[in-house]
Amino acid sequence: MPAKPTERFFLDRLETPIGIALLVTDDDGFLRALDWSDYETRLHRLLRRHYGDIVLEDTPAPKSLISALKGYFSGDLQQLTTIKWRTGGTPFQRNVWTALQTIPAGRTSSYGELAGRLSVPNAARAVGLANGSNPISVVVPCHRLIGSDGSLTGYAGGLNRKQWLLKHEGATFKSATSQ
């Protein structure tokens, strides 16, 4: 079997209210990953896992992507829906990531509820694992999944960021400090 060709992606950084976002895009301007500068090692690991060998060049992200993210962080929550993205991952992971986008800003869902919507009602843990492997945080809103009791549960970018994002969107949840 021939070796998979090396993919070329572009890395940019964006200052946000919750830290420096690392933006990885491709030749077509699609967002391939969004992570945080304090998790850059994890970003590289996820990119290798999804795409194999890659070349990552420091290059400005498309202006439309930067504008949409700045708009979101400034309060125009619908700006996330304008961002073009594509991912690697397994078919199940991609199904979970696509389903996450059906949870509107300001709303939350539980892992079990999302599993039920995907017609795999006993797969809440698998949904959680796929959610945790989401390479495009914020845009593919993995932060909108919470525990069945309304509590915040794990978030790869840290619970403080998850809490900020949910408050920013006006969602109801049990805060990490009230548990």
Side-chain angles (χ1 to χ4, degrees), residues 67-130:
S67 177
L69 287 169
K70 285 182 176 181
Y72 168 80
F73 282 109
S74 294
D76 185 356
L77 305 179
Q78 295 308 307
Q79 285 293 312
L80 294 184
T81 64
T82 69
I83 295 173
K84 302 181 312 181
W85 60 273
R86 67 173 80 134
T87 63
T90 68
F92 180 76
Q93 287 173 326
R94 289 192 307 271
N95 285 340
V96 169
W97 300 334
T98 299
L100 287 169
Q101 291 205 293
T102 67
I103 305 168
R107 300 301 258 312
T108 59
S109 185
S110 72
Y111 299 90
E113 288 169 344
L114 192 62
R117 280 192 295 223
L118 291 170
S119 299
V120 286
N122 295 322
R125 285 192 176 147
V127 165
L129 288 172

Side-chain angles (χ1 to χ4, degrees), residues 4-179:
K4 188 175 178 181
T6 300
E7 293 209 48
R8 184 177 74 158
F9 294 127
F10 307 104
L11 175 66
D12 197 4
R13 297 167 193 279
L14 176 67
E15 185 77 38
T16 77
I18 53 176
I20 297 172
L22 303 173
L23 311 175
V24 177
T25 55
D26 63 19
D27 283 323
D28 297 322
F30 283 82
L31 182 64
R32 292 299 193 108
L34 187 159
D35 212 332
W36 304 100
S37 61
D38 45 330
Y39 294 103
E40 190 163 353
T41 301
R42 177 185 63 209
L43 171 73
H44 291 279
R45 186 174 57 247
L46 280 173
L47 289 169
R48 277 192 306 279
R49 184 178 305 142
H50 288 289
Y51 304 109
D53 287 332
I54 64 164
V55 172
L56 195 57
E57 300 173 9
D58 286 330
T59 303
K63 288 182 170 101
S64 59
L65 172 60
I66 298 296
S67 177
L69 287 169
K70 285 182 176 181
Y72 168 80
F73 282 109
S74 294
D76 185 356
L77 305 179
Q78 295 308 307
Q79 285 293 312
L80 294 184
T81 64
T82 69
I83 295 173
K84 302 181 312 181
W85 60 273
R86 67 173 80 134
T87 63
T90 68
F92 180 76
Q93 287 173 326
R94 289 192 307 271
N95 285 340
V96 169
W97 300 334
T98 299
L100 287 169
Q101 291 205 293
T102 67
I103 305 168
R107 300 301 258 312
T108 59
S109 185
S110 72
Y111 299 90
E113 288 169 344
L114 192 62
R117 280 192 295 223
L118 291 170
S119 299
V120 286
N122 295 322
R125 285 192 176 147
V127 165
L129 288 172
N131 193 52
S133 296
N134 170 21
I136 305 176
S137 72
V138 182
V139 176
V140 175
C142 51
H143 60 277
R144 295 181 189 153
L145 284 187
I146 61 175
S148 59
D149 65 354
S151 63
L152 293 185
T153 55
Y155 183 65
L159 284 182
N160 288 339
R161 281 192 180 107
K162 182 173 187 165
Q163 184 168 315
W164 188 95
L165 290 164
L166 291 173
K167 282 183 178 178
H168 177 64
E169 295 179 356
T172 302
F173 60 95
K174 292 181 184 175
S175 72
T177 57
S178 67
Q179 294 177 16

